[in-house]
Amino acid sequence: DSGVTQTPKHLITATGQRVTLRCSPRSGDLSVYWYQQSLDQGLQFLIQYYNGEERAKGNILERFSAQQFPDLHSELNLSSLELGDSALYFCASSVDGLAGREQYFGPGTRLTVT
Amino acid sequence: QQQVKQSPQSLIVQKGGISIINCAYENTAFDYFPWYQQFPGKGPALLIAIRPDVSEKKEGRFTISFNKSAKQFSLHIMDSQPGDSATYFCAAIISGTYKYIFGTGTRLKVLA
C-alpha cells in the first residue's frame, strides 16, 4: 500500500459526459502527479501540482483540467468524454515534487467510456 | 527527443533465468533513470533507479546497467521468480523539468 488513495476505483460513463477523479496524496507529500495509462500509449504524464500550484504540464488535453486543494487532495476533471479517453488514470505523490524524488502511485481509477 | 524506447514488449523467462529489459533515449539532458514494477490492478511502484554518474547499480536480484555513450540502460533480474511476473516500465527525467517520460512497458512472465 503506497498511502496514495484514489476514488472511484471504477467509472463507467457515456460519451460527452464529464467526470471527476479524486486523489489523496501520502501524508506529508506536497506534490501530486496525474498519469493516463492506456494499452497502446503506455504511461503518459498529464500534469503535476505542488502545494496547490500547477508545476508541470504534459500531454493533457484541453478537455481535461485538474486542481490541487488546500488540504492537498487533487481532482482531475475530464469533460466531453470520448471513447478514446477510456484508460486507467493514476495519481502519484512525492514529498516535494523535485525531479528525482520517488513518486508513490495510487491504485488507479479505471474509466470506461461507452 | 523526449521519448524513451523500451524493449521487448513482452518477455517469457523460465524460473531461475535472467530477465533483461532494455531502454534507449535520445536526449542527453536526462539525468535520472528509475524503473517501476506494476502488478495487475495496482499502480506502478519504484523498483530501482540510477543516475548517469554510475554505470551499474544493484539491489538484491535487480541490477541496472547504464551505458552513457550509447544512451541506453537496462534492467537485469537475476534468478527470476514467478512472483516477478509484472509489467516493468523504465523512465527518464530531466532535473528541473519535473516531467517523467515513461517507456511503453515490458510484460514479464516467469514460468514456474
Side-chain angles (χ1 to χ4, degrees):
Chain A
D1 184 2
S2 66
V4 178
T5 60
Q6 287 186 250
T7 56
K9 195 168 183 178
H10 300 279
L11 198 49
I12 301 174
T13 190
T15 54
Q17 295 298 305
R18 172 190 169 96
V19 298
T20 297
L21 312 184
R22 183 187 168 103
C23 167
S24 293
R26 289 190 324 154
S27 176
D29 284 358
L30 298 179
S31 193
V32 168
Y33 307 75
W34 284 98
Y35 292 88
Q36 180 191 57
Q37 185 177 41
S38 56
L39 282 174
D40 57 346
Q41 292 288 321
L43 202 60
Q44 299 285 322
F45 167 72
L46 295 178
I47 197 165
Q48 180 201 5
Y49 280 83
Y50 172 74
N51 206 20
E53 299 290 326
E54 181 185 306
R55 172 162 279 179
K57 243 179 181 176
N59 301 320
I60 188 165
L61 300 171
E62 285 191 10
R63 300 184 286 109
F64 297 180
S65 65
Q67 53 183 328
Q68 185 179 27
F69 294 87
D71 67 352
L72 301 177
H73 91 272
S74 178
E75 293 181 356
L76 178 67
N77 300 296
L78 314 176
S79 61
S80 302
L81 285 168
E82 302 175 359
L83 294 177
D85 297 328
S86 296
L88 267 169
Y89 291 84
F90 286 104
C91 165
S93 73
S94 70
V95 61
D96 54 16
L98 292 176
R101 296 291 196 208
E102 180 173 354
Q103 294 185 18
Y104 295 87
F105 282 78
T109 293
R110 182 174 293 280
L111 173 67
T112 303
V113 182
T114 61
Chain B
Q1 268 221 329
Q2 290 288 78
Q3 284 187 329
V4 175
K5 295 182 181 178
Q6 184 172 347
S7 62
Q9 195 172 22
S10 62
L11 182 61
I12 299 175
V13 173
Q14 293 288 336
K15 179 182 176 182
I18 302 174
S19 303
I20 302 174
I21 304 170
N22 301 298
C23 283
Y25 62 96
E26 289 295 322
N27 192 336
T28 55
F30 286 132
D31 58 3
Y32 180 68
F33 302 90
W35 283 89
Y36 282 80
Q37 179 188 54
Q38 184 180 23
F39 292 106
K42 303 286 186 181
L46 180 67
L47 190 61
I48 188 173
I50 197 168
R51 294 195 181 274
D53 53 346
V54 297
S55 59
E56 186 175 281
K57 183 173 181 180
K58 186 175 179 179
E59 288 184 6
R61 296 184 294 107
F62 299 91
T63 300
I64 299 180
S65 296
F66 188 84
N67 187 329
K68 192 173 181 178
S69 60
K71 292 184 282 187
Q72 295 176 347
F73 58 109
S74 59
L75 176 69
H76 292 64
I77 306 174
M78 313 300 287
D79 187 26
S80 299
Q81 300 296 312
D84 297 330
S85 298
T87 299
Y88 293 81
F89 293 93
C90 63
I93 187 167
I94 303 171
S95 294
T97 66
Y98 314 107
K99 295 182 193 178
Y100 273 61
I101 309 297
F102 281 84
T104 49
T106 296
R107 188 171 293 181
L108 171 66
K109 184 170 184 177
V110 181
L111 302 176

